[in-house]
Amino acid sequence: MRRAASASSADNSGASSRRRKMMADSESIEEVAVIGNTDITPTEAENNIVNTMVERGTSLLKKMEISVAEAEKRTGKNTVNMQETYTVYLIETRPAESVSEGGTPATPDTLWRRYSEFELLRTYLLVTYPYIIVPPLPEKRAEFVWHKLSADNLDPDFVERRRVGLENFLLRVASHPVLSNDKIFFLFLTEEKGWREAVLETGFQDKVDSRLKSLNATFRVKNPDKRFTDLKQYSDELNTVISQLLRARAKVADRLYGVYKVHGNYGRVFSEWSAIEKEMGDGLQSAGHHMDTYAASIDDILEEEEHYADQLKEYFFYTDAVRAVCRKHELIQYELELAAQDLAYKKQQKEELVTGTVRVFSLKGMTSKLFGQESQEQRESRLTALEQNIQEGEAALKQKNAECREFVQTAWEDIERFKEQKNKDLHEALISYAIMQISMCKKGIQVWSNAKECFNKM
Amino acid sequence: MSGQAVPVDLSGHMLDLEEDEDLEVFSKHHSSAADGGSMPNSPSSMVNQYRLEDEEDELVDTMKDLLVTVDQPESHVTAIETFIVYRVVTKTTRSEFDSSEYEVRRRYQDFLWLRGRLEDSYPTLIVNPLPEKFVMKGMVDRFNDDFIETRRKALDRFLNKVSAHPVLSHSQHLHVFLTAQDLLSHRKQGPGFLSRVGETVRAVAHSVRGLKGRPEEFTLMHDYVEEFSSKISSVDKITQRIAKEQREYVDELKRCGPTYSLWAALEEDLAEPLRGVAGCVERCCVETEEHIQYLSEVLVPAVHEYVLSADTVKAVMRRRDTIHADYEVKNEALALRKDEPQALEEEVGRLAERLELANSALKGDWCRWQEGMRGDLRSAFVSATEKNIQYYEKSQPSQWIKMPWHILGRTPFFMPSLQFHSSTLHKVQLV
């Protein structure tokens, strides 16, 4: 049984939609409970979410439900005419009203997309909205893995986690106040065939190269905006700390797996041993079974932990997007300063030309000194040209100023929105981590209590 | 020889003055326990005596008449070597002891000596093993505090088991061990080594020949011990492996706590929950360290003792087989010899009795051993499970879960997706 996640869950956290899927898929929902409100049933909780969606959702989300329902393997010829195997993901959209009717939901519209198309969409968004912190995609290749997890892109577990990550991406974009209104995004969800052409038609490709160049270039800004420099620093530090945490966590998971699995050997040995014992036999045998249970329990525990890691990973990748916005601002600031500088220089030149003093070195000035004064006509024409330049320069500066102001305003709006989202999401992630720990300890206590009873009967 | 009370000491070919002393001790004990008068000396009645003692032992258990403790390890430095010396304190009400309290200093080698003598004197009794001579892998330092403490506990256990044994506790060697201020002079007496060589040679010879008449019950015992030995060794290895895996786990986990703290320093709203997680992780590290210590210092030694004990039982069974083979060889020779049967007959008779006693001693001690094993391992495993339960109880992040939920701005309605029992729910409190 699988349910499409409703879009509002992206409002708080993409992780919530994952968790709700987990709940739907699992068999026993008897003891589901809500902290603080013990009487709430799953349906009521669902309605809560729906209501919030309507309150807080974007206009896109008010119209449609989005999900990435399935993944499939395909083979085909690639651009260099070689056979390749790749995965496609099914995007389902359906009108939002069908949920509250209570009857069977309407059949969704569907189309298939592969990961590279998601990448294309994201690049387009990055270039088109440089002042927006664009949500990240799930990782291209599995990083921070521990030995049990496969790093193979075709491995079913990896594909599943990627499917969830892609859905999360779409929901994040769909719930963004600015991005959700983008036409190309809408087409991505609804037009399977013509989408690629539509994207290319926007001409965003031209901006891609220059963006890459600007991101990587080194330049110094004279009057940096403190808010942005602070943000960039925070983003860099967050990036470092989360990557450290993810690495450490992967190693810890690996080791914990080892601890639990070795206990499985007890199961085997106790079973064999019980065969030669009379009074001790039963106790040993049943204790052995509990050891097997204990060893097996780590699989579920670590799978849940993996979701927690995915939540951290999303924000790890988000830091790159934040950094990109800061860099873009730096670039704009720099260009503004250059324009101002350029204008000042030209004005200086004009002044000198008018007053006849040479303060600024110019080749013309030098040659005229060496080879004799220029004629009045020549001076006049130069002056006119300069004045023209100055006018153009002033216009350019004005435009750059406006551009900068607008960038700062829109960017900062998005940054505030992002900060709030981040705090909420990560807070929830940490709480769910705590709950996982509690659950793990409870399981441990249960198993060992059972084993103790068995040993007492030895 | 046949007129006297036959001692359990059956290394009959040895000339050992101390054997006679043992003899006396043994008979003294019997005369105090039994009705008095002359002792029955047939093997079967001996068996009955033996069993009686066991029952008595249980009654007397709560009123032990011989109490020993091993404590106060100290470093002893001489010109040649440095070693650890332990204090051995004895409190007793037994008449064979001149005083009621003794205090002596003994080193590991002295314990080794005592055990060797006990095995020599009672070859088919199961003498508790000693902690191993060489350090187990993983520990490097012979003078490491933990190692010394673990060894001290094992030595204490050894002495306690010996002094609780109905036969061994009356050994003259034990007496000397517990009372003599200068053990060295006593140690120099006795063949020990040579006899063991002879024994090994004969054992090999007999195994080549093959044992024909081994009673069924001893074959069963033998098969059981082989299997038990293999299983308990596995349990030993598994437990050591778990300790190793836990160590690797905690070494990695130690990196997480500081990272969470580092992160908390970057944040405002998230600082508190992050610090909460950091604290939780750190506590988990502390608990895991403690657990590793428990495994290495308590559970592993308890299990390992039975690995060594199984080896001891195997050796005892080999010795019994040797005694049996000795008899068999002579018995067959007797059947073939027609002339001069008298001397041979006598010898065969002596060997037959010796065999009978060896068998009954082993049978009696075997029951004792099995009960001991069951009790010891049960309590070891039960306390191990208790330790595990405690570990999880203390690792639970139940304190910091009282997080400021209100920061989220709403009741966390997403929680339904995480399943947990309602009992957890009641423990979690909303601020």
Side-chain angles (χ1 to χ4, degrees):
Chain A
M1 176 178 76
R2 227 199 37 75
R3 280 163 51 234
S6 72
S8 74
S9 51
D11 197 29
N12 7 328
S13 163
S16 315
S17 68
R18 279 198 285 277
R19 297 215 174 280
R20 291 175 64 242
K21 270 200 198 308
M22 266 172 70
M23 170 184 139
D25 291 342
S26 61
E27 273 130 29
S28 60
I29 315 185
E30 334 99 31
E31 300 202 284
V32 166
V34 175
I35 292 176
N37 187 352
T38 49
D39 296 336
I40 216 167
T41 64
T43 355
E44 283 171 15
E46 171 74 4
N47 286 337
N48 276 351
I49 294 164
V50 169
N51 292 335
T52 314
M53 166 183 89
V54 170
E55 283 163 37
R56 297 194 197 179
T58 58
S59 54
L60 180 66
L61 288 180
K62 290 197 174 90
K63 279 196 293 176
M64 62 157 59
E65 260 184 41
I66 307 165
S67 71
V68 176
E70 280 160 40
E72 239 179 52
K73 274 211 190 76
R74 297 269 169 88
T75 43
K77 292 261 164 79
N78 65 6
T79 46
V80 290
N81 215 32
M82 291 180 64
Q83 276 288 95
E84 62 167 1
T85 314
Y86 56 90
T87 316
V88 285
Y89 300 87
L90 185 69
I91 301 181
E92 277 185 5
T93 49
R94 60 159 75 89
E97 299 85 51
S98 62
V99 177
S100 44
E101 263 162 27
T104 43
T107 37
D109 294 321
T110 64
L111 48 79
W112 293 94
R113 294 265 185 238
R114 35 182 314 188
Y115 186 81
S116 54
E117 292 177 275
F118 280 86
E119 281 184 305
L120 186 58
L121 171 66
R122 184 161 191 271
T123 310
Y124 161 78
L125 290 173
L126 281 170
V127 163
T128 315
Y129 304 92
Y131 50 93
I132 295 288
I133 299 168
V134 177
L137 283 170
E139 50 195 356
K140 196 169 175 68
R141 255 162 283 282
E143 283 172 62
F144 308 114
V145 286
W146 53 282
H147 85 275
K148 197 204 160 204
L149 284 189
S150 173
D152 174 20
N153 284 4
L154 293 171
D155 176 72
D157 284 333
F158 181 79
V159 167
E160 172 59 19
R161 288 179 39 243
R162 180 179 264 190
R163 181 193 65 74
V164 171
L166 291 174
E167 182 178 288
N168 188 51
F169 168 75
L170 291 180
L171 292 174
R172 288 250 191 239
V173 176
S175 62
H176 193 282
V178 174
L179 298 177
S180 59
N181 298 318
D182 186 274
K183 184 99 192 327
I184 296 292
F185 175 61
F186 185 79
L187 289 176
F188 182 85
L189 296 173
T190 52
E191 284 288 322
E192 184 156 3
K193 298 289 179 223
W195 180 73
R196 211 170 248 277
E197 285 74 29
V199 184
L200 295 174
E201 259 170 47
T202 61
F204 82 100
Q205 294 278 45
D206 310 327
K207 297 190 215 162
V208 171
D209 291 332
S210 71
R211 173 193 151 85
L212 275 174
K213 276 201 208 114
S214 72
L215 280 181
N216 295 328
T218 43
F219 45 80
R220 274 211 59 211
V221 172
K222 291 207 182 76
N223 296 312
D225 185 330
K226 190 168 194 302
R227 287 185 304 171
F228 280 96
T229 45
D230 283 350
L231 180 65
K232 182 144 88 88
Q233 187 182 5
Y234 165 77
S235 167
D236 289 343
E237 287 174 345
L238 187 65
N239 182 291
T240 308
V241 90
I242 294 185
S243 93
Q244 250 180 280
L245 194 58
L246 286 170
R247 243 190 304 273
R249 188 215 73 89
K251 289 208 190 113
V252 168
D254 203 21
R255 296 288 173 220
L256 193 61
Y257 183 80
V259 170
Y260 272 72
K261 286 299 178 193
V262 174
H263 281 82
N265 288 314
Y266 275 146
R268 183 181 45 86
V269 172
F270 283 160
S271 182
E272 289 167 9
W273 181 2
S274 69
I276 58 168
E277 295 290 345
K278 293 186 217 95
E279 300 116 332
M280 276 168 61
D282 288 336
L284 275 175
Q285 175 105 21
S286 41
H289 288 149
H290 292 299
M291 292 297 98
D292 287 331
T293 305
Y294 182 73
S297 68
I298 191 66
D299 294 314
D300 284 343
I301 290 168
L302 287 179
E303 197 187 300
E304 273 209 54
E305 249 222 359
E306 210 55 47
H307 289 297
Y308 168 69
D310 284 341
Q311 289 174 284
L312 295 181
K313 252 183 238 182
E314 192 191 11
Y315 278 91
F316 171 70
F317 292 128
Y318 253 123
T319 57
D320 285 335
V322 173
R323 180 167 223 277
V325 170
C326 294
R327 285 290 284 177
K328 179 72 184 176
H329 172 260
E330 252 185 302
L331 183 64
I332 290 176
Q333 177 90 346
Y334 180 69
E335 287 173 353
L336 177 63
E337 284 179 359
L338 272 184
Q341 215 179 337
D342 190 58
L343 185 65
Y345 175 66
K346 288 194 176 109
K347 283 189 174 165
Q348 185 104 41
Q349 270 192 303
K350 176 187 167 186
E351 193 202 309
E352 281 173 17
L353 201 58
V354 165
T355 59
T357 55
V358 183
R359 219 167 297 138
V360 177
F361 176 81
S362 76
L363 194 58
K364 207 70 179 158
M366 275 315 292
T367 50
S368 65
K369 270 206 163 355
L370 290 168
F371 300 111
Q373 291 284 355
E374 53 188 349
S375 68
Q376 184 67 10
E377 278 164 19
Q378 285 175 313
R379 264 188 81 216
E380 293 264 341
S381 67
R382 274 220 291 140
L383 197 61
T384 340
L386 257 180
E387 274 177 6
Q388 173 96 359
N389 270 345
I390 287 171
Q391 265 187 351
E392 286 168 0
E394 275 174 348
L397 182 64
K398 200 167 168 189
Q399 191 224 359
K400 274 286 169 203
N401 245 322
E403 190 185 324
C404 193
R405 263 199 312 273
E406 198 189 318
F407 184 92
V408 170
Q409 193 193 338
T410 48
W412 212 256
E413 222 176 273
D414 197 47
I415 288 164
E416 290 298 336
R417 181 207 60 82
F418 171 77
K419 276 189 192 168
E420 213 187 289
Q421 173 198 298
K422 173 208 75 163
N423 283 341
K424 219 182 282 179
D425 289 349
L426 289 177
H427 200 146
E428 282 180 12
L430 291 171
I431 290 173
S432 68
Y433 174 77
I435 292 179
M436 270 192 310
Q437 294 301 307
I438 292 179
S439 157
M440 181 173 107
C441 288
K442 291 253 173 269
K443 275 190 215 173
I445 292 171
Q446 185 71 49
V447 168
W448 287 106
S449 301
N450 291 338
K452 179 177 165 185
E453 259 180 60
C454 297
F455 283 130
N456 264 325
K457 293 196 200 126
M458 244 170 76
Chain B
M1 245 221 253
S2 52
Q4 285 181 0
V6 184
V8 186
D9 173 20
L10 298 158
S11 38
H13 66 290
M14 284 194 300
L15 290 172
D16 195 345
L17 293 168
E18 288 169 56
E19 275 174 64
D20 292 338
E21 289 174 58
D22 276 340
L23 185 93
E24 285 200 30
V25 169
F26 188 71
S27 57
K28 242 191 239 174
H29 179 84
H30 271 283
S31 57
S32 62
D35 304 320
S38 58
M39 293 275 291
N41 51 25
S42 67
S44 48
S45 58
M46 279 280 298
V47 171
N48 291 336
Q49 284 288 3
Y50 200 93
R51 292 270 159 78
L52 187 68
E53 259 166 53
D54 263 344
E55 290 164 42
E56 260 187 7
D57 224 320
E58 272 155 21
L59 293 169
V60 163
D61 220 294
T62 45
M63 322 172 274
K64 272 195 187 152
D65 58 358
L66 181 63
L67 275 164
V68 286
T69 39
V70 178
D71 59 14
Q72 289 189 12
E74 267 174 21
S75 212
H76 194 90
V77 186
T78 66
I80 322 162
E81 52 175 350
T82 309
F83 52 87
I84 303 289
V85 172
Y86 304 85
R87 183 177 76 150
V88 177
V89 176
T90 309
K91 291 198 174 78
T92 180
T93 53
R94 288 190 185 177
S95 51
E96 54 262 33
F97 288 87
D98 295 330
S99 164
S100 62
E101 267 193 51
Y102 291 91
E103 191 179 303
V104 292
R105 301 233 142 240
R106 296 285 178 255
R107 58 184 291 192
Y108 179 78
Q109 277 182 22
D110 298 333
F111 285 83
L112 273 179
W113 169 86
L114 171 62
R115 188 170 187 278
R117 306 274 64 227
L118 289 173
E119 277 199 312
D120 285 344
S121 309
Y122 308 98
T124 57
L125 288 186
I126 304 166
V127 182
N128 216 57
L130 275 173
E132 273 159 324
K133 197 179 175 66
F134 302 109
V135 294
M136 296 196 286
K137 64 173 177 179
M139 286 194 263
V140 180
D141 184 12
R142 189 156 61 92
F143 300 104
N144 168 272
D145 282 344
D146 291 334
F147 173 73
I148 291 171
E149 177 58 17
T150 309
R151 182 174 261 197
R152 183 202 64 77
K153 278 194 248 191
L155 293 175
D156 183 277
R157 204 173 145 73
F158 165 78
L159 263 193
N160 272 288
K161 288 242 165 166
V162 168
S163 31
H165 193 288
V167 177
L168 297 176
S169 64
H170 295 280
S171 155
Q172 185 58 20
H173 301 298
L174 179 66
H175 187 113
V176 160
F177 180 90
L178 293 176
T179 59
Q181 285 306 316
D182 174 26
L183 192 61
L184 227 51
S185 54
H186 291 268
R187 277 176 57 174
K188 290 205 169 109
Q189 293 174 15
F193 175 68
L194 287 172
S195 69
R196 217 161 281 138
V197 167
E199 187 182 287
T200 316
V201 167
R202 276 178 26 251
V204 169
H206 287 315
S207 68
V208 167
R209 182 184 163 277
L211 188 65
K212 292 188 187 140
R214 190 207 270 153
E216 172 94 35
E217 64 183 313
F218 292 117
T219 306
L220 288 173
M221 205 187 286
H222 174 267
D223 292 342
Y224 170 85
V225 174
E226 286 292 324
E227 192 64 22
F228 172 81
S229 174
S230 149
K231 295 309 148 210
I232 200 70
S233 296
S234 297
V235 173
D236 185 20
K237 288 202 192 89
I238 294 167
T239 314
Q240 286 187 43
R241 177 79 189 277
I242 288 175
K244 175 169 169 279
E245 296 282 340
Q246 294 247 18
R247 159 104 345 251
E248 290 180 351
Y249 164 69
V250 81
D251 285 345
E252 293 299 340
L253 193 62
K254 278 194 189 139
R255 288 184 236 275
C256 285
T259 308
Y260 276 111
S261 299
L262 253 167
W263 186 357
L266 297 177
E267 300 284 346
E268 286 161 14
D269 287 351
L270 289 176
E272 201 183 314
L274 283 170
R275 275 197 296 268
V277 175
C280 169
V281 168
E282 258 142 46
R283 190 148 41 118
C284 193
C285 286
V286 168
E287 294 302 327
T288 310
E289 292 272 18
E290 216 189 274
H291 196 251
I292 295 169
Q293 202 176 21
Y294 170 80
L295 286 177
S296 323
E297 287 170 22
V298 179
L299 186 56
V300 166
V303 173
H304 198 75
E305 184 189 312
Y306 275 93
V307 172
L308 298 174
S309 189
D311 287 341
T312 304
V313 176
K314 285 192 218 174
V316 165
M317 300 207 71
R318 275 196 297 275
R319 287 200 283 267
R320 191 219 70 87
D321 282 352
T322 304
I323 292 170
H324 194 132
D326 278 352
Y327 160 76
E328 233 175 51
V329 164
K330 284 279 146 65
N331 199 28
E332 279 174 22
L334 182 64
L336 296 169
R337 279 273 202 103
K338 298 301 172 190
D339 53 304
E340 264 189 283
Q342 191 66 11
L344 199 53
E345 256 178 41
E346 260 184 45
E347 203 189 340
V348 169
R350 188 171 56 83
L351 287 173
E353 263 189 88
R354 181 170 162 243
L355 176 61
E356 193 71 44
L357 289 165
N359 286 349
S360 62
L362 176 53
K363 272 197 282 200
D365 224 24
W366 172 241
C367 290
R368 195 160 192 282
W369 183 88
Q370 280 187 303
E371 278 310 302
M373 181 272 283
R374 185 171 154 202
D376 289 344
L377 290 181
R378 175 176 53 217
S379 76
F381 292 153
V382 165
S383 30
T385 57
E386 276 168 2
K387 264 295 180 173
N388 269 295
I389 291 167
Q390 273 175 42
Y391 166 78
Y392 281 114
E393 280 175 349
K394 290 193 227 165
S395 298
Q396 276 191 98
S398 52
Q399 285 155 324
W400 71 274
I401 194 64
K402 288 180 199 151
M403 287 209 288
W405 296 92
H406 63 269
I407 279 182
L408 296 171
R410 53 172 164 73
T411 341
F413 56 68
F414 67 93
M415 289 303 180
S417 55
L418 292 168
Q419 297 173 45
F420 50 90
H421 297 286
S422 46
S423 58
T424 318
L425 179 64
H426 296 311
K427 278 204 174 161
V428 175
Q429 293 169 40
L430 265 194
V431 167

